[in-house]
Amino acid sequence: MWSDSLLIVFISVCTAFLGEGLTWILVYRTEKYQKLKVEVERQSKKLEKRKEAHGDSLDKQHKKKIEREEERLKNNNRDLSLVKMKSMFAIGFAFTALLSMFNSIFDGRVVAKLPFYPISWIQGLSHRNLPGDDYTDCSFIFLYILCTMSIRQNIQKLLGFAPSRAASKQGGALFAAPPAQFK
Amino acid sequence: MATKNKSIDSTNKGKLTESVWKKAFTANTEWPDKEEFLDVIYWMRQAIGIVLGLCWGLLPLKGFLGLLLFVVVNAAVIYFYVNNFQNVDEEEYGGMWEITKEGFVTSFAGFLVTWIIVYTGLHGDTL
């Protein structure tokens, strides 16, 4: 059982690196992406500062300026998402295939023992395709999702591919990178 | 005390450079770059998650108590670090809630993984 759980951690480290590597080849290293990223970050910071400085003032001129900048940032964010989209789809497909392969390898196998009793809406994941009623048995998919959540995000941050805080704050959900590829 | 060389590039990359390490472990450091401080909080959280996961697995702590204790200890360590060790004005960062949120989900996932794996390795087969 233990070797299975360690293997899953290893698999998710590999897939995280593979995912980031592929995204780097297809997206991050392109000039268009880099330009847009720098632009979005610059604008987000500028906008944040402006909002802090004039956030409460009722001055119409300032409000208009802020609105105009927000609009520009939105457009840039949209362009950035479009640049990412194509390759994300390709990577998404590749990973779905990989995931289903691992799923069938680990089908019906208890890969770990949970030290807690999962709440009912998590049991569907944590006990997926497992025999018996012992809900502290953990399925492949649950452990893999947890590993991906922590490992991928940290690798992204370590490699400098995670979106900056200012950009994700201003850009909201549109620019925020999805934490995992387990769709 | 505080080296004020703003390493914008390094903070954008989310890595902690040598000077940041020094600043992180020096009390009452000035943080001219907010991102740098938030990065310190982020990585500290990840470390706490893994250390607590190891401890809870070794003990072993089980059930809801383990989860609750993790949340409490994690928040308390960060609160103490921000307010008593670094004496940072939390309002500059959008309030204590923003700091408390920083890297929490990733840290929680890291904690669960470590806890589950250590627990499985030490106690899984005897169950």
Side-chain angles (χ1 to χ4, degrees):
Chain A
M1 199 194 286
W2 203 34
S3 54
D4 278 347
S5 13
L6 291 177
L7 182 64
I8 291 169
V9 175
F10 180 69
I11 288 173
S12 56
V13 171
C14 290
T15 48
F17 271 111
L18 190 70
E20 288 310 302
L22 279 176
T23 321
W24 181 78
I25 292 172
L26 295 170
V27 183
Y28 297 145
R29 69 179 182 145
T30 58
E31 208 177 305
K32 197 177 174 192
Y33 172 82
Q34 283 174 355
K35 245 189 212 165
L36 275 170
K37 197 186 173 195
V38 170
E39 185 66 18
V40 164
E41 260 166 43
R42 197 182 54 82
Q43 278 180 347
S44 305
K45 276 186 184 162
K46 204 169 138 193
L47 189 62
E48 205 175 348
K49 264 186 197 159
R50 199 173 278 242
K51 270 185 180 172
E52 265 174 32
H54 307 286
D56 298 328
S57 77
L58 293 167
D59 192 346
K60 266 190 180 171
Q61 212 181 342
H62 283 309
K63 263 192 177 171
K64 245 184 195 168
K65 260 185 188 172
I66 289 178
E67 267 169 28
R68 214 177 302 141
E69 270 183 30
E70 265 176 349
E71 193 60 37
R72 216 178 299 154
L73 182 64
K74 226 191 219 167
N75 286 340
N76 275 336
N77 259 334
R78 201 193 48 217
D79 289 348
L80 199 63
S81 309
L82 279 177
V83 171
K84 276 178 158 181
M85 192 113 74
K86 252 191 213 166
S87 59
M88 289 298 173
F89 268 123
I91 292 167
F93 276 120
F95 276 101
T96 313
L98 260 181
L99 191 64
S100 57
M101 184 187 86
F102 289 129
N103 242 336
S104 58
I105 290 174
F106 289 100
D107 195 33
R109 253 158 80 175
V110 179
V111 296
K113 203 82 188 160
L114 296 177
F116 55 91
Y117 195 83
I119 44 173
S120 54
W121 54 274
I122 288 189
Q123 281 169 9
L125 263 186
S126 69
H127 205 71
R128 178 163 291 189
N129 293 338
L130 292 185
D133 283 334
D134 183 359
Y135 286 107
T136 56
D137 284 346
C138 177
S139 68
F140 158 77
I141 194 78
F142 185 64
L143 192 61
Y144 180 75
I145 287 174
L146 282 179
C147 287
T148 310
M149 266 169 82
S150 67
I151 293 168
R152 181 136 200 231
Q153 182 104 32
N154 282 334
I155 285 176
Q156 260 186 355
K157 205 159 168 63
L158 210 61
L159 297 176
F161 297 151
S164 81
R165 288 184 188 86
S168 21
K169 209 172 163 187
Q170 297 295 337
L174 194 67
F175 185 56
Q181 73 273 23
F182 44 81
K183 283 166 201 159
Chain B
M1 189 174 70
T3 45
K4 287 195 179 180
N5 55 331
K6 255 194 185 182
S7 48
I8 291 166
D9 191 40
S10 70
T11 48
N12 277 347
K13 288 194 165 192
K15 290 179 199 162
L16 299 183
T17 55
E18 206 178 318
S19 71
V20 180
W21 276 99
K22 222 174 169 181
K23 281 162 80 172
F25 289 108
T26 315
N28 301 319
T29 314
E30 269 183 55
W31 297 91
D33 189 355
K34 284 184 194 174
E35 292 275 314
E36 210 172 60
F37 182 64
L38 288 176
D39 277 341
V40 169
I41 298 283
Y42 178 90
W43 289 115
M44 204 174 184
R45 268 256 156 80
Q46 307 314 311
I48 294 172
I50 288 171
V51 170
L52 289 186
L54 270 175
C55 295
W56 277 204
L58 288 171
L59 279 173
L61 259 179
K62 280 200 278 185
F64 183 67
L65 180 74
L67 295 170
L68 188 74
L69 264 180
F70 163 76
V71 177
V72 172
V73 173
N74 193 319
V77 171
I78 296 298
Y79 186 84
F80 176 81
Y81 179 76
V82 171
N83 281 314
N84 295 57
F85 189 72
Q86 294 288 359
N87 281 316
V88 164
D89 178 16
E90 58 202 44
E91 287 310 316
E92 270 183 47
Y93 297 87
M96 197 61 210
W97 181 239
E98 286 297 320
I99 298 177
T100 313
K101 265 188 344 193
E102 182 63 36
F104 179 78
V105 177
T106 324
S107 151
F108 187 59
F111 159 75
L112 282 181
V113 170
T114 334
W115 189 25
I116 292 170
I117 284 175
V118 175
Y119 180 80
T120 306
L122 295 178
H123 315 280
D125 293 327
T126 57
L127 293 166

